[in-house]
Amino acid sequence: MSSSMSAKFANPATQLEVDEAILEYLVFTGIARLLDCAKARLNGPVPAIVNRHAELSVQMADSFLIIFRTNHPEAHGSRTIQFRLSLLRFVVIFTGRFVASETSLSAKSLEKIRSAHRARAEAFRFHCEITDGVDLSSFSLYLPFSEQLQIIYRKRMLDTFAPQDTELDYYGSPQSLSLLDTLPLFMALSASQTALQGRNVAAPWMHLAASYMAEAVLEQFLCFSAADAEPIWEAFSYGFDVDSTAEAGSDELAITNMFWGGVDESEVGGWKEIKEGYLAAVLPPKGCAVLDHLVNLEASELPLLDFENGVVDFLTRLLDAQSLPLLIQLERGNVEGISVL
């Protein structure tokens, strides 16, 4: 090479913009393909190749994220990219919780997370009344339910929501993620979206969140061998906590702020009533056996299939709430702000 020629490098600012565009494209595509798989499973078996394409899309996004952080250690991406990364993490966990994989948490890591969640719930209950006059002292007398019953429910869940030929020995074991484990992540994701939009949570989201709590409780008793009533308190310990000691910038603080009503120390209107309504639905009426009540509740008022549909629809709306990535717009031949006359 001639000494008069010098190596040319991309302008750092330009390279960052290009890499952000690629990252946003890969993250968006990974989320979309995972959600497409989840929707397809609700309507019947999904070919293995479709699942594999979704997995490869996520792997590509994860690999490029490593490259992005290596090349741009000080860059965090736009708020949209940050939100969609959080959305991808949740979608991966929520849709993949039935199957053991390379990304599954170790038993030690999972127990650490669960301990933190229990501590959060205990702190909330110390500061806030969840509901008045609820006595669960006799609830535990009927727990856990038989292993035979739980195998029936686990198999039904796997037949409906998991890839074909999924083994039965993982889901429902202490090593697998439950809805109760994912509930704090759902709340943190919702808090991020609320902050991004700059508005309070509305009644439709409150019903989805409260149903998430109730379904998490049902799953604990019907699939995860819960032996006491603690999952009920842990699941329903969400709301505005004026005495919260959560650190600034933490998910926990963002979640409690999401429930702030905007006036003095008040909680957002409607949340207390909606949450207590779903809590009351979980508790068996006087004279009704706990098992009979929960089985009938899942079969009628709170079917897990409807819940999964609702969460997938919610996640799809979150994905579509922001503008399409630039590379997706170019791919479709329709770029915002550019018209072809």
Side-chain angles (χ1 to χ4, degrees), residues 1 35 68 74 76 89 91 126 149 184 193 200 211 221 233 237 255 265 267 280 294 299 316 321:
M1 180 181 292
L35 291 176
F68 180 88
E74 302 299 322
H76 301 288
R89 293 186 193 102
V91 172
F126 182 76
L149 174 78
Q193 173 68 359
N200 288 338
S211 70
F221 294 134
W233 297 126
S237 294
I255 291 169
E265 298 176 354
E267 189 170 72
L294 295 183
T316 301

Side-chain angles (χ1 to χ4, degrees), residues 11-230:
N11 179 284
T14 302
Q15 187 63 57
L16 176 59
E17 289 181 7
V18 171
D19 287 351
E20 284 185 339
I22 296 172
L23 178 61
E24 190 172 23
Y25 173 86
L26 293 174
V27 169
F28 182 94
T29 302
I31 297 170
R33 287 189 174 172
L34 283 176
L35 291 176
D36 286 344
C37 272
K39 293 172 190 173
R41 286 186 201 126
L42 297 174
N43 297 313
V46 176
I49 189 65
V50 176
N51 289 308
R52 184 57 182 156
H53 284 165
E55 292 171 1
L56 288 173
S57 294
V58 174
Q59 290 172 9
M60 288 175 66
D62 186 56
S63 297
F64 191 79
L65 179 60
I66 294 172
I67 295 171
F68 180 88
R69 287 175 171 167
T70 300
N71 293 340
H72 312 285
E74 302 299 322
H76 301 288
S78 66
R79 291 184 70 188
T80 299
I81 291 177
Q82 291 179 46
F83 175 75
R84 281 187 171 144
L85 281 170
S86 297
L87 179 57
L88 176 60
R89 293 186 193 102
F90 181 79
V91 172
V92 167
I93 289 171
F94 184 82
T95 61
R97 69 187 192 277
F98 300 104
V99 183
S101 67
E102 295 178 358
T103 59
S104 298
L105 297 173
S106 67
K108 185 176 181 180
S109 297
L110 197 50
E111 181 51 39
K112 184 178 179 180
I113 290 173
R114 287 170 176 164
S115 295
H117 293 172
R118 287 192 292 267
R120 178 208 55 77
E122 289 171 5
F124 181 86
R125 281 154 50 194
F126 182 76
H127 297 149
C128 308
E129 280 282 354
I130 296 180
T131 190
D132 299 323
V134 175
D135 180 14
L136 297 178
S137 58
S138 62
F139 200 91
S140 300
L141 298 176
Y142 306 96
L143 301 172
F145 297 144
S146 72
E147 183 66 16
Q148 183 179 7
L149 174 78
Q150 294 186 66
I151 288 175
I152 292 173
Y153 272 93
R154 291 170 192 163
K155 187 175 187 307
R156 198 178 79 180
M157 293 288 285
L158 293 177
D159 288 344
T160 306
F161 305 123
Q164 288 178 283
D165 303 321
T166 297
E167 296 293 333
L168 189 61
D169 58 351
Y170 177 72
Y171 173 65
S173 71
Q175 290 74 41
S176 70
L177 281 167
S178 67
L179 286 175
L180 190 61
D181 295 322
T182 66
L183 180 55
L185 302 176
F186 169 81
M187 288 294 179
L189 181 67
S190 299
S192 295
Q193 173 68 359
T194 301
L196 201 60
Q197 293 180 328
R199 62 190 186 196
N200 288 338
V201 290
W205 178 86
M206 294 182 197
H207 280 282
L208 178 62
S211 70
Y212 204 127
M213 297 173 177
E215 298 287 2
V217 170
L218 288 177
E219 186 189 50
Q220 284 294 304
F221 294 134
L222 296 177
C223 300
F224 276 80
S225 306
D228 57 41
E230 187 58 32

